[in-house]
């Protein structure tokens, strides 16, 4: 993984001073938070301290008294938030805690900004997935064990119809329950970029496609509908919790700040040491004269992938933060994702580009569960499209990620390319990977077909034969040759397709035909016939695609062929 410099920015100066000894001596030592009040939702965050323990710890290890703090909350085994009684003594208490051998980090609590720029809600084409090659990978990974992406954000509307079934338990630090909600919508939008349901006939698809990838939502902020801030303490707690879950392999953080946050840096390091792939938004202040070019956190910490935002023309957005820590760019301008309980939104921001990369990382892990975080980043670097200045630059990083090329470094990626000769139209343009070739609904016959199949990092070819009107089954032809007739006004009625080459057994080839009077037949596979024989029905359209051996079929497979 890359080594990043420590952030040079606004440093919170901790004024070191002690508490009056007499006050401490006469107050009650705190053994548990039952001795003080609970933190209130509307409490002043400026009066709070985030505490991270060296190991599992509790407030009794801190040596605090009731004269020092008035409230507190244990977020998990490693992270607490405490509220000081006297705000003027907060820096002194931070110093005191840092001297405690049981404390790994302590600092004044703070807010970080979620970095999406919402636009008018509307359902439109999710172009961002084509921008990174994800339209070629959506059905290429069909892993058995679930890969989980932890999304640290404003929560998630888990009942949105385009993400139902794609989530597992997370935690709502705002309410203190496992029932995560999202009153802002930001976390739902971010999660949709990763895991919106694919192939369900509605809305959009996430980068995950049909891969077994799910979201663990952690609500770290967004208390009200217009609250676009993450609580530093909640973010630290979520990082520790996600890091301790073996099923979580990727963590997305679509928030940014410009102060030095040692507690957050400590939590990031813990998650990185646990082998998690950490992805964060580079920030939305690239066009702000006051902050442009500054290093934002957490994207600029060691072992965090920093992501900028590009538009449809692969040009960096004017708002995308640029600095020496930016690693990659991804679509983040006018992109479509989930919103509210059942809606969609067109949104812009590095908050959107970050989960696109996080989702891509999850796909690579789903394809090879043994892959390391450093290997994932190395593959993304190797396969990214270099944009901007040659080589790595401060705006585009190493370039625009390309999931199809990256996935091909992990598993062989196969492609079909084919065209058909249609009555009255001649040869149609070449289409790929399950696209329709033919003239569905126009009562025109297919007369011939030409097909190729190939794979990156694998040796495959294809052979095929067709059943032709008045002639019956033709002989097999090889990759790129014509099967059928041309200029004889004879219809194709059925087809058989099978893979060749030394790596043919690593893939399955599926094909589906549209037949006169019958519509789309079911999918045939690996040399089985598709279409009809003995009925005199014409083939009118065809779809062909190759998937990894054992992957789920594209659809029904019960009745691909009928013979009289």
């Amino acid at each position: 993984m890359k080594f990043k410099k420590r952030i040079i920015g606004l440093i919170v100066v901790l004024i070191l001073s002690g508490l009056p000894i007499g006050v401490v001596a006469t107050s009650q030592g705190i053994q548990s938070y039952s001795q003080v009040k609970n933190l209130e939702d509307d409490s002043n965050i400026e009066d709070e301290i985030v505490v991270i323990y060296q190991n599992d710890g509790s407030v009794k290890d801190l040596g605090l008294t009731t004269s020092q703090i008035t409230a507190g909350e244990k977020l998990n085994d490693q992270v607490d938030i405490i509220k000081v009684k006297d705000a003027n003594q907060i820096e002194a208490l931070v110093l005191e805690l840092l001297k405690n051998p049981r404390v790994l980090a302590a600092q004044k609590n703070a807010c970080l900004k979620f970095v999406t720029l919402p636009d008018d809600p509307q359902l439109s084409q999710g172009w961002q997935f084509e921008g990174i090659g994800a339209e070629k990978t959506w059905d290429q990974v069909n892993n058995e064990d679930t890969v989980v992406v932890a999304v640290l954000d404003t929560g998630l509307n888990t009942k949105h119809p385009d993400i139902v079934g794609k989530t597992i338990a997370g935690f709502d630090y705002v309410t203190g329950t496992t029932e995560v909600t999202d009153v802002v919508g930001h976390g739902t939008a971010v999660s949709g970029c990763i895991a919106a349901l694919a192939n369900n006939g509605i809305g959009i698809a996430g980068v995950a496609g049909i891969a077994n990838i799910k979201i663990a939502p952690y609500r770290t902020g967004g208390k009200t509908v217009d609250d676009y801030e993450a609580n530093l303490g909640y973010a630290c707690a979520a990082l520790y919790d996600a890091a301790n879950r073996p099923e979580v392999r990727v963590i997305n953080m679509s928030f940014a700040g410009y102060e030095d946050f040692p507690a957050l840096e400590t939590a990031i390091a813990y998650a990185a040491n646990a082998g998690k792939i950490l992805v964060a938004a580079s920030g939305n202040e690239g066009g702000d004269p006051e902050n442009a070019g500054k290093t934002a956190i957490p994207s600029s910490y060691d072992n965090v992938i920093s992501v900028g935002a590009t538009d449809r023309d692969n040009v960096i957005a004017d708002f995308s933060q640029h600095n020496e820590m930016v690693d990659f760019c991804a679509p983040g301008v006018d992109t479509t994702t989930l919103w509210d309980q059942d809606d969609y939104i067109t949104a812009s921001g590095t908050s959107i580009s970050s989960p696109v990369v996080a989702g891509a990382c999850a796909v690579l892990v789903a394809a090879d569960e043994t892959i390391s975080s450093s290997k994932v980043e190395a593959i993304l670097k190797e396969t990214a499209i270099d944009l901007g200045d040659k080589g790595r630059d401060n705006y585009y990083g190493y370039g625009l990620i390309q999931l199809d090329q990256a996935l091909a470094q992990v598993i062989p990626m196969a492609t079909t390319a084919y065209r058909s000769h249609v009555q009255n139209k001649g040869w149609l343009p070449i289409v790929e990977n399950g696209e329709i070739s033919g003239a569905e609904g126009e009562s025109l016959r297919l007369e011939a077909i030409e097909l190729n199949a190939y794979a990156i990092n694998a040796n495959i070819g294809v052979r095929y034969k067709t059943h032709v009107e008045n002639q019956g089954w033709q002989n097999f032809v090889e990759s790129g040759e014509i099967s059928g007739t041309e200029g004889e006004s004879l219809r194709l009625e059925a087809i058989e397709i099978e893979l060749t080459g030394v790596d043919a057994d690593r893939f399955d080839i599926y094909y589906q035909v549209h037949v006169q009077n019958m519509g789309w037949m079911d999918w045939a596979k690996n040399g089985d016939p598709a279409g009809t024989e003995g009925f005199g029905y014409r083939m009118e359209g065809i779809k062909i695609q190759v998937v990894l051996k054992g992957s789920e079929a594209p659809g029904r497979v019960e009745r691909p062929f009928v013979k009289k």
Side-chain angles (χ1 to χ4, degrees):
M1 301 289 284
K2 59 185 176 298
F3 178 79
K4 293 184 174 179
K5 302 175 184 177
R6 184 171 299 277
I7 293 175
I8 301 175
L10 178 61
I11 306 298
V12 177
V13 180
L14 304 179
I15 302 173
L16 312 180
S17 59
L19 291 177
I21 296 177
V23 173
V24 176
T26 58
S27 59
Q28 182 182 3
I30 297 176
Q31 300 300 306
S32 74
Y33 286 125
S34 63
Q35 296 172 249
V36 294
K37 298 178 181 178
N38 293 327
L39 289 177
E40 300 293 336
D41 288 344
D42 58 352
S43 61
N44 183 5
I45 200 170
E46 296 294 319
D47 295 342
E48 296 175 356
I49 297 174
V50 179
V51 179
I52 299 179
Y53 297 97
Q54 287 280 1
N55 298 298
D56 297 353
S58 66
V59 67
K60 68 179 180 180
D61 301 321
L62 301 180
L64 299 172
T65 69
T66 53
S67 67
Q68 293 173 296
I69 68 170
T70 61
E73 180 180 354
K74 185 164 194 60
L75 301 181
N76 57 31
D77 290 340
Q78 290 85 19
V79 183
D80 284 9
I81 294 180
I82 58 177
K83 185 176 182 64
V84 300
K85 189 171 185 178
D86 183 356
N88 293 323
Q89 294 295 323
I90 193 168
E91 290 85 0
L93 187 51
V94 166
L95 175 62
E96 195 172 307
L97 290 168
L98 289 172
K99 293 178 180 178
N100 189 319
R102 294 180 179 271
V103 174
L104 183 60
Q107 75 163 98
K108 186 177 177 181
N109 203 2
C111 290
L112 302 103
K113 296 286 186 181
F114 294 113
V115 285
T116 292
L117 306 172
D119 200 351
D120 296 330
Q122 58 180 309
L123 178 59
S124 63
Q125 180 66 34
W127 68 272
Q128 60 266 37
F129 308 115
E130 292 184 9
I132 65 164
E135 86 283 4
K136 300 177 182 177
T137 66
W138 72 273
D139 62 349
Q140 293 295 306
V141 180
N142 191 19
N143 52 307
E144 181 177 354
D145 295 332
T146 302
V147 172
V148 176
V149 181
V151 175
L152 280 54
D153 218 283
T154 63
L156 175 60
N157 292 320
T158 58
K159 295 182 180 179
H160 193 293
D162 220 358
I163 206 164
V164 168
K166 296 287 284 183
T167 66
I168 65 170
F171 195 78
D172 191 324
Y173 286 100
V174 175
T175 61
T177 69
T178 56
E179 297 295 323
V180 179
T181 60
D182 184 8
V183 299
V184 178
H186 188 274
T188 300
V190 167
S191 297
C193 292
I194 300 169
L197 283 163
N199 209 28
N200 66 336
I202 63 170
I204 62 167
V207 174
I210 66 168
N212 185 9
I213 294 170
K214 296 186 178 181
I215 302 295
Y218 287 90
R219 188 182 179 197
T220 59
K223 294 181 179 180
T224 60
V225 68
D226 57 352
D227 177 15
Y228 277 77
E229 292 185 332
N231 182 298
L232 171 65
Y234 294 165
C236 291
L239 279 162
Y240 272 91
D241 189 80
N244 290 330
R245 297 174 63 173
E247 72 274 22
V248 172
R249 295 295 302 275
V250 183
I251 300 174
N252 185 80
M253 298 167 287
S254 289
F255 51 79
Y258 291 94
E259 297 184 22
D260 186 27
F261 295 112
L264 184 61
E265 188 172 10
T266 298
I268 290 286
Y270 182 87
N273 289 335
K276 310 306 177 185
I277 301 170
L278 298 156
V279 186
S282 68
N284 284 359
E285 291 74 34
D288 175 11
E290 182 178 350
N291 290 307
K294 288 185 178 179
T295 49
I297 58 89
S299 63
S300 297
Y301 285 144
D302 291 351
N303 301 311
V304 178
I305 296 173
S306 175
V307 185
T310 51
D311 63 17
R312 290 176 183 265
D313 297 320
N314 293 343
V315 175
I316 201 71
D318 56 5
F319 58 77
S320 187
Q321 185 60 283
H322 48 90
N323 52 58
E324 65 272 21
M325 306 304 182
V326 173
D327 294 298
F328 301 105
C329 55
V333 179
D334 295 334
T335 57
T336 301
T337 186
L338 311 187
W339 191 252
D340 201 28
Q341 295 295 332
D342 58 1
D343 207 348
Y344 299 84
I345 190 173
T346 298
S348 300
T350 55
S351 268
I352 300 300
S353 53
S354 178
V356 170
V357 173
C361 292
V363 170
L364 298 182
V365 173
D368 179 7
E369 63 180 12
T370 68
I371 197 169
S372 67
S373 56
S374 59
K375 182 63 173 177
V376 166
E377 186 173 0
I379 290 173
L380 291 177
K381 287 180 183 178
E382 181 181 345
T383 56
I385 296 177
D386 186 10
L387 300 173
D389 294 339
K390 187 175 181 179
R392 195 215 155 270
D393 65 73
N394 289 352
Y395 288 83
Y396 297 90
Y398 292 96
L400 179 68
I401 68 161
Q402 295 296 289
L403 180 54
D404 57 333
Q405 298 299 313
L407 186 60
Q409 301 298 313
V410 180
I411 59 173
M413 287 278 294
T415 299
T416 57
Y418 47 97
R419 63 175 182 161
S420 59
H421 190 280
V422 177
Q423 172 189 359
N424 299 334
K425 293 189 175 185
W427 285 104
L428 299 184
I430 293 173
V431 297
E432 296 183 341
N433 298 332
E435 295 178 317
I436 297 174
S437 182
E440 178 186 358
E442 298 182 44
S443 299
L444 300 176
R445 63 181 174 267
L446 297 190
E447 298 177 338
I449 189 167
E450 181 183 290
L451 169 62
N452 279 285
Y454 51 91
I456 302 174
N457 298 331
N459 183 330
I460 65 169
V462 65
R463 70 176 197 156
Y464 43 99
K465 66 178 181 178
T466 54
H467 190 281
V468 178
E469 175 188 0
N470 299 333
Q471 296 184 9
W473 285 103
Q474 307 285 293
N475 293 325
F476 276 106
V477 298
E478 299 286 337
S479 303
E481 295 180 319
I482 296 173
S483 181
T485 62
E486 189 176 350
E488 299 182 36
S489 300
L490 299 177
R491 62 180 173 266
L492 295 186
E493 298 177 340
I495 189 169
E496 294 179 4
I497 307 173
E498 58 187 45
L499 293 173
T500 61
V502 296
D503 294 318
D505 59 353
R506 301 173 67 179
F507 301 92
D508 291 318
I509 187 164
Y510 283 93
Y511 38 100
Q512 182 184 34
V513 298
H514 191 278
V515 174
Q516 173 189 1
N517 298 332
M518 302 185 74
W520 285 105
M521 307 292 284
D522 292 343
W523 289 86
K525 171 185 175 184
N526 296 341
D528 293 332
T532 64
E533 184 178 346
F535 291 88
Y537 293 159
R538 63 180 174 265
M539 280 173 49
E540 299 176 336
I542 188 167
K543 296 186 283 189
I544 309 168
Q545 65 186 80
V546 179
V547 298
L548 284 175
K549 177 69 70 175
S551 296
E552 185 177 354
R556 292 171 55 88
V557 296
E558 287 76 15
R559 192 169 178 261
F561 178 74
V562 179
K563 181 177 181 179
K564 181 179 283 189

